[in-house]
Amino acid sequence: MKTIAVALFCLMTATVSAGNYDVCSPNGKVKVTVNTDETVKWSVDYDGRQVLLPSTIDISLTQGRKTLTLGKVGKVAKKNVNSSFKNPFYKKQTISDDYGQLLLYTTQKFTIEVRAYNDGAAYRLISTNNKPFVVNDETAEFCFAKDLPAFIPYVNDNRGGERYCYSFESYYDEVPLSKMYPDSLAITPLAVCLPDGMKAIVMDAGVENYPGMFLKKGPQHSLKAEFAPYPLAQEVGGYDRLNLVPTKRADFIAKLNGGQALPWRAVVITEKDADILNCDMAQRLAPACRITDLSWIQPGKVAWDWWNNCNITGVDFKSGMNTDTYLYYIDFAAKNKIEYIIIDEGWSGKESLMEDLSPDIDLPRLIAYGQEKGVGIILWSSWRNLIGSDPEKGAAVTEAVMKHYADMGIKGFKVDFFDRDDQQVIASAYQVAACAAKHHLYLDFHGLKPFGIQRAYPNIFNFEGVKGLENSKWEPRVGDGPLHNQPRYDVTAPYLRMLAGPMDYTPGAMMNAMKDNFFGNNNHPMSQGTRVHQMAMYTTFEAPLQMLADSPTMYMQNQECTDFIAQIPTTFDETVALDGQLGEYTVIARRKGTTWYVAAMTDWTARDLTIDLSFLGEGQFSADIFADGVNAQKDGTDYKHSQQTVSGRSQLQVHLSSGGGWTGIFRKQ
């Protein structure tokens, strides 16, 4: 549902073909200027300070034998929009969508739509051409005035050596723009650190029937977009032959059958880092919800088998990929009010979801037992097995698989190893989502980052595209500690990766280590940082389907922590970003009904923070709090559990240990 309270429209001169056109945000701080003197360029100012220098907007397309560009600007229209819409599967119930809008109509049947929000700016190209054409390339620049520091998530670990075939999981290189590797691609969102503590975060949004946007080093201090060319041929390969890897690509990036809106190119601008934690840019720029009846969509938590290697002890059966193990998982989930379990890779054949099923897993029995206990089952799948060998003809395969398992009583699929976002894969993701919605199935997409489809199809609960807890299984030691600074990443991803949408980090490790005693172990994994650092993730990280990654045995041995985690919702009515610094720490509060959930996390630096509880409003609240223990800097499992009564006038003094966390549930009395 979307409401528009104010729409002031004015048509500017109809014959203008050159000049400057401005549009401002509702609060007047963000100003976007579009210059059409020669080529079309946009620039962005914030409160009188330059954010983006004039940056080129253009497109090259072929229609028949003609090669065309954006063309000259003719008519220009301008209006202010004050609107909002609802999303019951998000970090807040109501999303405000207020902006100044500029529409520029070109001679080549394109409209350039520009929006100025209070916290950023965006534009997109809209084709009104009714004949088929191919997009050879699109020019999108983001030019900065100085050599500014940046957080750059590079593409690496390419599947099959293919440049654009990647899982969208990256740590952040923190270097000036001038130090970007000129031959490398980066994914979005990418942050540029402006003077005076401000940030500019470059991202795309609302991607549909079009490739996602990579970024590369441009001239001087600029970023330029690059897009995966359209795949013409592909083969099974990549990691463990789980991917469809393109072996030949076209000399164009997209083929379109007629007019459509292209994705948004956006820059989020903030004065305070904490404001990024509550930014709604990705939601605002996404396609509207396409599911009429939402009543069947039930977010929740899920017990996961893969990360902990089914490490169950104290039982009279051999744990592993077998029926007895998953009966045990269902019992654990039911006892702890966890809505779902996942059966990960290994239940089906290598090449099919319908044949060569594991004889050790009695799926009908598990489904029936889960229904008896009120626990749903989600199945793992590779993308290529779900759609067959040809993404353009995959609808029939997907329909057969989803109908079969939905009729059996399966609740959804964790679809893995997309590892591409060219036009073909983006189109396939929408087709899979629509088919799943038809059969009332949930989805968890891995090998993709969110790109707007999650608002159109809220049955897609999660996306991976994050350096989550799984990486601790193979993290190497270098010198006196792990190679990667995972706690720093944990307080960077909420500002950047999570800006695009929910992330399947898969938290919940109960073995917690400091730098000196951490080591990667595939069969008995542990996390970097403290126990409460992990517990704080359940409030901090957005994921409508939030995983409990450790084993039932570990959770039952730490029942006090499990009881707390199990109470935290996965969607919320309101979010308040309290404090934070990109790459250093986060403090966030979220409300469900009258209950508030609050969490803080830090990198390897210990911190003392003051949390102002004024967001609680009137009345008294009982606070159930988990904090790092006094010896957590030596033993990451050390914590302190306490209760107290507080009010909106209270201020809590919080100590975060090295790699630490703090979290509380505040219930109105």
Side-chain angles (χ1 to χ4, degrees), residues 3 25 178 344 368 382:
T3 59
S25 61
S178 64
D344 214 283
S382 68

Side-chain angles (χ1 to χ4, degrees), residues 102-118:
L102 186 65
L103 299 173
L104 303 100
Y105 303 92
T106 79
T107 55
Q108 294 297 348
K109 296 184 178 179
F110 272 94
T111 301
I112 308 169
E113 180 180 1
V114 182
R115 293 184 184 179
Y117 288 95
N118 289 344

Side-chain angles (χ1 to χ4, degrees), residues 102-370:
L102 186 65
L103 299 173
L104 303 100
Y105 303 92
T106 79
T107 55
Q108 294 297 348
K109 296 184 178 179
F110 272 94
T111 301
I112 308 169
E113 180 180 1
V114 182
R115 293 184 184 179
Y117 288 95
N118 289 344
D119 56 359
Y123 77 86
R124 66 176 173 178
L125 305 179
I126 304 171
S127 168
T128 56
N129 199 319
N130 59 7
K131 296 181 180 179
F133 61 91
V134 299
V135 179
N136 303 317
D137 200 7
E138 179 189 344
T139 300
E141 289 184 335
F142 306 87
C143 301
F144 296 90
K146 299 177 181 179
D147 186 17
L148 298 167
F151 284 69
I152 303 169
Y154 283 113
V155 170
N156 51 54
D157 191 25
N158 299 79
R159 305 303 191 193
E162 211 274 339
R163 178 171 173 82
Y164 305 100
C165 200
Y166 177 58
S167 66
F168 303 93
E169 301 175 24
S170 301
Y171 291 108
Y172 295 92
D173 280 30
E174 300 175 37
V175 296
L177 290 170
S178 64
K179 299 297 183 183
M180 280 189 73
Y181 298 119
D183 60 348
S184 297
L185 297 177
I187 59 175
T188 63
L190 183 155
V192 177
C193 304
L194 304 173
D196 303 318
M198 293 176 58
K199 300 293 187 297
I201 304 173
V202 178
M203 62 186 292
D204 59 349
V207 184
E208 183 171 7
N209 195 33
Y210 202 82
M213 182 176 72
F214 294 98
L215 293 171
K216 61 184 179 181
K217 180 178 170 60
Q220 297 182 321
H221 312 304
S222 70
L223 300 166
K224 292 191 69 173
E226 184 170 325
F227 304 91
Y230 193 87
L232 297 176
Q234 51 207 313
E235 64 182 13
V236 175
Y239 177 77
D240 199 25
R241 290 178 49 81
L242 288 167
N243 296 106
L244 282 176
V245 180
T247 56
K248 183 179 180 181
R249 289 189 181 269
D251 58 359
F252 57 85
I253 64 172
K255 50 184 182 181
L256 305 180
N257 290 325
Q260 75 167 60
L262 275 57
W264 292 94
R265 317 299 172 209
V267 180
V268 171
I269 307 165
T270 59
E271 296 183 65
K272 298 187 303 179
D273 286 4
D275 292 340
I276 306 169
L277 299 173
N278 201 18
C279 178
D280 300 316
M281 189 67 79
Q283 278 283 313
R284 300 181 198 127
L285 300 180
C289 182
R290 295 174 184 175
I291 301 176
T292 303
D293 175 18
L294 301 175
S295 62
W296 58 274
I297 302 177
Q298 300 294 325
K301 294 191 181 64
V302 56
W304 186 32
D305 55 352
W306 181 86
W307 187 80
N308 61 78
N309 200 33
C310 295
N311 286 330
I312 300 170
T313 61
V315 296
D316 57 2
F317 59 86
K318 288 189 176 181
S319 64
M321 298 287 295
N322 58 53
T323 301
D324 285 337
T325 295
Y326 292 109
L327 291 171
Y328 191 84
Y329 263 84
I330 290 169
D331 283 337
F332 164 75
K335 179 182 177 181
N336 290 279
K337 297 182 174 58
I338 296 166
E339 292 86 348
Y340 306 100
I341 70 164
I342 280 183
I343 302 178
D344 214 283
E345 182 184 8
W347 68 272
S348 67
K350 252 316 199 187
E351 302 300 322
S352 172
L353 299 176
M354 305 283 276
E355 300 175 355
D356 301 322
L357 305 188
S358 171
D360 297 325
I361 296 177
D362 187 342
L363 205 52
R365 181 183 174 192
L366 291 172
I367 293 169
Y369 190 65

Side-chain angles (χ1 to χ4, degrees), residues 188-189 203-204 282-283 449-452 454 496-502:
T188 63
M203 62 186 292
D204 59 349
Q283 278 283 313
K449 62 182 177 64
F451 48 89
Q454 67 272 19
L496 300 182
R497 162 59 186 81
M498 203 165 74
L499 182 62

